[in-house]
Amino acid sequence: MGLFNFVKEAGEKLWDKLTDSHQDQGEKITEHLKKLNIPGADKVQVTVVDGKASVTGDGLTQEEKEKIQVAVGNVAGVSEVENNITAADSADEATYYTVKSGDTLSAISKNVYGNANLYNKIFEANRPMLSHPDKIYPGQTLRIPKA
């Protein structure tokens, strides 16, 4: 799948950049994925070096692969994710959207699908990282599934 860029300062803060080692950072992201209950999180390994996360694993679906990638990228301190997960299916790859100040899921849906009422499709595609349709923040990257 390749290398994906994220907003390094945006996202959930899982570690103190002054005290946590690269190994600790990878372990904390792995714990974070499991806490989010993302299917397939138990099948991946995460390493982090200087803000670049590398994720490896096998036997996941394309959707699980993308959700893990977005969850890892939306951690404060991660600027890039190298996704080396092998998908077991051949589903179409989603596109991605970086939230800007003032965005709502309805506005994003109107922009990408031409219909604001399809916001729930984006919300569901980003669960469990999103707990509520109104809880998005600038810099966050969202999966946008095909219409």
Side-chain angles (χ1 to χ4, degrees), residues 7-147:
V7 177
K8 187 173 185 173
E9 296 80 29
E12 187 156 352
K13 294 181 184 353
L14 299 182
W15 61 74
D16 180 343
K17 64 182 174 184
L18 298 176
T19 59
D20 285 348
S21 70
H22 297 305
Q23 181 178 357
D24 290 341
Q25 292 173 353
E27 290 172 3
K28 286 184 178 183
I29 289 179
T30 301
E31 290 171 19
H32 175 65
L33 294 173
K34 291 177 182 173
K35 192 184 329 177
L36 287 173
N37 292 319
I38 297 175
D42 58 331
K43 298 179 183 177
V44 300
Q45 297 78 44
V46 181
T47 57
V48 181
V49 177
D50 298 328
K52 179 180 177 183
S54 179
V55 186
T56 57
D58 293 315
L60 282 76
T61 65
Q62 183 68 29
E63 179 180 357
E64 292 167 341
K65 175 181 175 175
E66 293 169 355
K67 282 188 176 190
I68 288 170
Q69 171 184 299
V70 168
V72 171
N74 284 325
V75 169
V78 174
S79 60
E80 298 177 323
V81 175
E82 183 176 5
N83 192 338
N84 295 314
I85 299 171
T86 305
D89 62 1
S90 60
D92 287 339
E93 188 175 329
T95 57
Y96 301 91
Y97 180 87
T98 302
V99 177
K100 297 183 280 303
S101 182
D103 274 343
T104 64
L105 287 185
S106 293
I108 295 167
S109 177
K110 175 79 172 156
N111 184 34
V112 297
Y113 298 134
N115 183 347
N117 293 325
L118 294 177
Y119 75 91
N120 203 43
K121 186 174 187 79
I122 299 170
F123 174 68
E124 290 299 326
N126 289 280
R127 287 189 74 158
M129 288 85 60
L130 294 182
S131 60
H132 191 278
D134 293 334
K135 294 191 178 191
I136 61 174
Y137 55 86
Q140 182 178 30
T141 300
L142 301 173
R143 285 180 69 241
I144 307 296
K146 303 285 184 211

